[in-house]
Amino acid sequence: MRRTPTYRRRSGAGTRRRSAAAVALLLTGAMALAGCAKDTGGGGDAGGGGNGPCRLSAPPAGAPAAPTSATTTEQMPPPNASAMRVGVAFDIGGRGDASFNDASVAGLDRAKADMGLGEIKELDAGAGEPEDAKQTRLRQLAREGFNPVIAVGYAYADALKLVAPEFPGTKFAIIDEQIDGVPNVTPLVFAEEQGSFLAGVVAAHKSENCHIGFVGGVQTPLIQKFEAGFEAGAKAAAPDIKIENEYLTPAGDFSGFQDPNKGSEVATGQLEAGADVIYHAAGASGKGVFGAVKGAGAQAIGVDSDQYHQPTVAEYKDVIISSMLKRIDLAVYDYIAAVARNDLSTVPKKFDVAIDGVTYSTSGGKIDDLKTTLDAYKAAIANGQIQVPDKP
């Protein structure tokens, strides 16, 4: 029997009412997306929600065709980083998670190739480890002379607030957390809700039941940004769509990012409820989501990295129709280049759609027919025509 989490379970009418209210805040003036619905055929009725393909809204009009631009670093020749020794403290899952950590690895690999990065030392996190283990990991890297030190994940925030002041000559960066008042810490943060909005548009267009699902790893404000954007995008594209939402673990229990069995269990429940496209933001647990989706003959949307090309989930690539690309690789690369130039002012304040800091993948050709539509939404977000919520 499938477990029913006590900390989060919602779908159906409650979700529809809540999501509809959120999307109402997104649309401005002449866009009137919900009023421009068109029948996609296939027997779906106006109500959607499991009765066939969604009735879809017209994409926004009036936005320029090319809304994005390169980061400052990408507009400059790569610096020489051969003397640099970079320390990396991974989040749970480490190399091979096919998601968050592997995206940072891609940035390191590119920096090594382009800048001749001298040395990299990586330290892994342990599931259920005490808080002081993070402090120990950061101190070890700093004491061994690695500079900069990159903390992969918001779980390092409290540790960095203590450790960074102890090493004022060491530059630190943290992915996914804004830390103020510590001058030698650079935040690398993202507009996850914007990229997830595009994933929601994909899901709405590709669902045959007008019924989709979201699986979050841990119920934290960060992962709720993924949920909020996904719901908003799906509702903007198909106002009557039905959405399942569930988290694997509550806040404080980070095992939700490394439990494929639980990911499979929750995804199976959503599939049994009628969802036929599932988007996950669950780290290594996403492998279980993909497995359940493949077993049901449904479709999935990956996260962070282009999961269609990730070796650890290669057996599921045929059901991965797209991934929400959170360009952690770009952020890591830009940060290393900025340190090498001794000019941290070139690091963007936020990696958003306007600089391709978050976007979507087209690997496998499964959403090639949606590129014009997705780019219209992307342009509207970049221009401020659509304001994407970052809370469910």
Side-chain angles (χ1 to χ4, degrees):
M1 180 177 294
R2 193 175 70 88
R3 68 178 178 87
T4 302
T6 58
Y7 44 88
R8 186 63 176 266
R9 175 70 179 168
R10 62 185 180 83
S11 61
T15 298
R16 291 195 294 272
R17 290 193 297 270
R18 189 171 182 179
S19 298
V23 172
L25 298 175
L26 303 177
L27 310 177
T28 58
M31 289 176 61
L33 298 181
C36 300
K38 59 181 180 181
D39 193 347
T40 60
D45 65 15
N51 296 314
C54 297
R55 291 179 64 98
L56 299 170
S57 301
T68 58
S69 61
T71 63
T72 301
T73 293
E74 292 198 320
Q75 296 170 349
M76 304 165 67
N80 183 345
S82 59
M84 187 180 295
R85 303 173 70 228
V86 177
V88 182
F90 280 131
D91 202 352
I92 293 174
R95 271 185 181 262
D97 72 344
S99 183
F100 185 79
N101 291 291
D102 275 354
S104 66
V105 169
L108 293 168
D109 290 346
R110 182 182 166 202
K112 190 173 183 67
D114 290 358
M115 306 176 213
L117 193 58
E119 183 181 354
I120 302 170
K121 182 166 184 173
E122 303 169 356
L123 296 179
D124 290 330
E129 67 181 13
E131 178 62 26
D132 61 4
K134 298 177 180 63
Q135 299 172 27
T136 299
R137 197 173 300 122
L138 295 171
R139 287 191 181 100
Q140 177 184 341
L141 292 168
R143 284 173 178 155
E144 292 180 4
F146 289 92
N147 188 7
V149 173
I150 301 173
V152 183
Y154 64 86
Y156 284 96
D158 290 341
L160 258 185
K161 291 174 186 176
L162 293 173
V163 174
E166 298 174 7
F167 300 90
T170 300
K171 294 180 174 67
F172 293 86
I174 182 169
I175 295 170
D176 280 347
E177 186 67 24
Q178 182 74 41
I179 295 180
D180 299 318
V182 186
N184 59 331
V185 175
T186 299
L188 304 175
V189 294
F190 301 81
E192 293 91 352
E193 70 280 3
Q194 294 181 356
S196 296
F197 183 102
L198 301 175
V201 174
V202 170
H205 277 259
K206 291 301 181 179
S207 175
E208 297 178 1
N209 299 334
C210 204
H211 191 164
I212 61 177
F214 170 80
V215 176
V218 182
Q219 191 177 4
T220 64
L222 173 65
I223 304 304
Q224 287 177 319
K225 291 171 69 178
F226 291 83
E227 177 196 357
F230 181 67
E231 287 190 1
K235 287 290 184 177
D240 297 316
I241 198 166
K242 186 174 181 179
I243 307 172
E244 306 286 334
N245 295 280
E246 195 164 342
Y247 288 83
L248 304 184
T249 56
D253 180 358
F254 293 102
S255 67
F257 292 131
Q258 201 178 18
D259 193 338
N261 289 334
K262 192 174 290 186
S264 175
E265 181 184 344
V266 169
T268 296
Q270 295 188 352
L271 293 160
E272 290 173 348
D276 60 1
V277 181
I278 296 182
Y279 172 49
H280 87 87
S285 300
K287 185 173 184 179
V289 174
F290 292 149
V293 168
K294 183 168 183 175
Q299 301 179 101
I301 299 173
V303 74
D304 295 337
S305 302
D306 185 350
Q307 297 200 288
Y308 183 87
H309 291 299
Q310 286 291 329
T312 56
V313 292
E315 63 188 295
Y316 308 117
K317 66 187 299 182
D318 55 327
V319 301
I320 301 173
I321 58 174
S322 182
S323 295
M324 192 285 275
L325 301 182
K326 178 178 173 180
R327 297 292 309 281
I328 297 169
D329 61 322
L330 177 63
V332 168
Y333 181 89
D334 276 7
Y335 175 69
I336 291 172
V339 173
R341 296 190 182 99
N342 197 29
D343 183 9
L344 291 175
S345 68
T346 62
V347 178
K349 298 299 182 185
K350 180 171 285 191
F351 290 83
D352 59 14
V353 297
I355 57 171
D356 268 338
V358 290
T359 185
Y360 64 93
S361 70
T362 58
S363 298
K366 297 177 175 64
I367 63 164
D368 286 352
D369 58 321
L370 294 181
K371 191 175 185 305
T372 299
T373 294
L374 289 168
D375 285 348
Y377 280 107
K378 189 175 178 181
I381 294 169
N383 288 342
Q385 287 180 270
I386 295 178
Q387 297 293 324
V388 183
D390 60 6
K391 295 180 178 61

PDB file of all heavy atoms in Angstrom, residues 163 273 374:
ATOM      1  N   VAL A 163      32.408  29.749   9.393  1.00  0.00           N
ATOM      2  CA  VAL A 163      33.738  29.411   8.905  1.00  0.00           C
ATOM      3  C   VAL A 163      34.373  30.529   8.093  1.00  0.00           C
ATOM      4  O   VAL A 163      35.575  30.812   8.242  1.00  0.00           O
ATOM      5  CB  VAL A 163      33.687  28.110   8.071  1.00  0.00           C
ATOM      6  CG1 VAL A 163      35.045  27.823   7.433  1.00  0.00           C
ATOM      7  CG2 VAL A 163      33.247  26.947   8.946  1.00  0.00           C
ATOM      8  N   ALA A 273      -3.174   8.341  -9.975  1.00  0.00           N
ATOM      9  CA  ALA A 273      -4.239   9.350  -9.857  1.00  0.00           C
ATOM     10  C   ALA A 273      -4.617   9.953 -11.203  1.00  0.00           C
ATOM     11  O   ALA A 273      -5.621  10.668 -11.309  1.00  0.00           O
ATOM     12  CB  ALA A 273      -3.803  10.459  -8.896  1.00  0.00           C
ATOM     13  N   LEU A 374       7.594  28.246 -26.243  1.00  0.00           N
ATOM     14  CA  LEU A 374       8.397  28.398 -25.034  1.00  0.00           C
ATOM     15  C   LEU A 374       9.228  29.673 -25.079  1.00  0.00           C
ATOM     16  O   LEU A 374       9.361  30.377 -24.067  1.00  0.00           O
ATOM     17  CB  LEU A 374       9.302  27.186 -24.849  1.00  0.00           C
ATOM     18  CG  LEU A 374       8.583  25.895 -24.463  1.00  0.00           C
ATOM     19  CD1 LEU A 374       9.520  24.701 -24.602  1.00  0.00           C
ATOM     20  CD2 LEU A 374       8.029  25.982 -23.045  1.00  0.00           C
TER      21      LEU A 374
END
